[in-house]
Amino acid sequence: MKRPRIIDSHQHFWRIGRPEQLWPDADWPLLHRDFLPGDLRTAIEGLDVVGTVLVQSQPDDRDTDWLLDLAAADSLILGVVGWVALEDKRAPARIAQLAAWPKFVGLRPMLQAIDDNDWILRDDLAPAIEAMLAHGLRFDALVQPRHLPALVCFAERWPDLPIVIDHGAKPHAADMTLDPWRDQLAMLARHPNIWCKLSGLRTEQAQGQSADALAPYIAHILSSFGDRTMWGSDWPVLLHMEDRYIDWVDDALRLAGDLDAPMRARLFEGAARAFYGLAAQEGHK
């Protein structure tokens, strides 16, 4: 099958040893080095990647500022999803400052690292969410299955906020558990403001597990979200499974099944462009 044009909806950069850099540490040996734009260009050689969405990896304003500087200098980066302390009283002002950057498209609180499953429903987050709406920003939901009931309530509370579930909500793929993730994801998909990323699933598997074991997860994501599903590499986190960028492209193409050409183009390019409101320019030749 011919590989499609790609807008990667989810990739990262980081610098090891910087004050704001908390993860990855030495326990992740394949990831514990700098990953910068030149490394990405090497990783995508031979693929028709026309742009990426650069997503924060550190819960720190300094990381977001650095990503925006990188994006301003690199035409391959079409959008940046940053981080803000949403509970902080200064969050609306910070969001307004970030929204002035042309490529700033959204925010991602690191919900997976928060013990309180219902944190996203706190009343003191409302001013920040209202600021996101005022500036036309999107919300990346970095969640695990334990967060999905609260995410339903959040989506109902903020029906005009575009929300995308990162990494299919990180199902427990290592032990092939499908429920209750399967029903919860289908419930979320009933909300038209919720989209989903077909990304990050390989690193939810056990080492040595075949990508083919992801088939029921991928089928369910696609059947639930349809044209609101977008492909993302989660590079360089993907390297933890000793996969190359191109491996996840090919695995996703194969496991997505018999998609027609328009749906394949939507999955690998159109959905990310539509959700994030990305400009039509192409960043990589």
Side-chain angles (χ1 to χ4, degrees):
M1 183 183 300
K2 182 181 178 181
R3 297 183 183 111
R5 279 168 43 112
I6 294 170
I7 288 181
D8 185 345
S9 72
H10 201 103
Q11 58 91 194
H12 304 286
F13 295 132
W14 55 69
R15 300 170 295 178
I16 300 299
R18 295 286 300 175
E20 70 273 15
Q21 189 267 325
L22 302 175
W23 184 90
D25 57 23
D27 291 336
W28 298 75
L30 296 179
L31 307 182
H32 193 240
R33 66 173 181 86
D34 293 354
F35 285 94
L36 299 168
D39 301 298
L40 176 61
R41 279 186 156 78
T42 298
I44 64 175
E45 285 180 1
L47 294 168
D48 190 10
V49 177
V50 299
T52 75
V53 177
L54 177 57
V55 180
Q56 63 79 229
S57 62
Q58 314 298 323
D60 193 296
D61 290 333
R62 293 169 292 185
D63 179 62
T64 297
D65 291 340
W66 175 63
L67 298 181
L68 286 167
D69 285 337
L70 289 179
D74 193 330
S75 62
L76 182 61
I77 303 167
L78 300 182
V80 173
V81 174
W83 178 90
V84 166
L86 297 180
E87 73 280 12
D88 194 304
K89 292 181 179 179
R90 297 166 294 182
R94 172 65 172 164
I95 290 169
Q97 177 192 40
L98 292 171
W101 287 79
K103 293 185 179 180
F104 191 74
V105 295
L107 288 169
R108 184 173 84 148
M110 303 194 79
L111 300 179
Q112 70 172 9
I114 298 173
D115 290 335
D116 180 2
N117 295 344
D118 296 328
W119 182 88
I120 196 59
L121 301 177
R122 286 172 45 161
D123 290 338
D124 59 351
L125 305 186
I129 304 302
E130 289 168 355
M132 291 184 67
L133 286 167
H135 293 285
L137 300 176
R138 289 79 171 164
F139 186 97
D140 266 62
L142 178 61
V143 294
Q144 298 165 326
R146 64 187 175 93
H147 299 104
L148 296 184
L151 190 59
V152 171
C153 296
F154 180 73
E156 292 171 346
R157 183 177 296 180
W158 302 101
D160 295 326
L161 180 68
I163 299 166
V164 62
I165 300 170
D166 289 354
H167 313 325
K170 295 196 163 192
H172 302 300
D175 57 13
M176 295 300 295
T177 300
L178 283 164
D179 299 314
W181 168 86
R182 181 162 43 189
D183 290 341
Q184 291 169 338
L185 206 70
M187 184 180 300
L188 282 160
R190 297 189 191 114
H191 296 269
N193 60 321
I194 302 183
W195 301 50
C196 191
K197 291 185 182 181
L198 190 63
S199 63
L201 297 176
R202 283 288 284 141
T203 44
E204 296 308 306
Q205 294 186 279
Q207 290 289 344
Q209 201 170 4
S210 169
D212 290 348
L214 293 172
Y217 298 97
I218 291 174
H220 185 62
I221 290 169
L222 287 169
S223 67
S224 298
F225 288 92
D227 65 3
R228 287 177 286 137
T229 311
M230 63 191 78
W231 183 87
S233 67
D234 199 26
W235 180 95
V237 183
L238 180 69
L239 302 179
H240 177 66
M241 297 299 283
E242 300 187 33
D243 280 5
R244 301 167 300 161
Y245 192 108
I246 198 170
D247 293 331
W248 177 235
V249 173
D250 289 344
D251 286 340
L253 268 173
R254 184 180 73 257
L255 295 173
D258 189 21
L259 300 179
D260 61 25
M263 189 59 191
R264 191 161 58 247
R266 178 74 177 184
L267 174 63
F268 280 91
E269 179 183 6
R273 195 183 292 283
F275 178 79
Y276 286 112
L278 301 178
Q281 74 267 21
E282 299 178 7
H284 180 62
K285 303 295 184 184

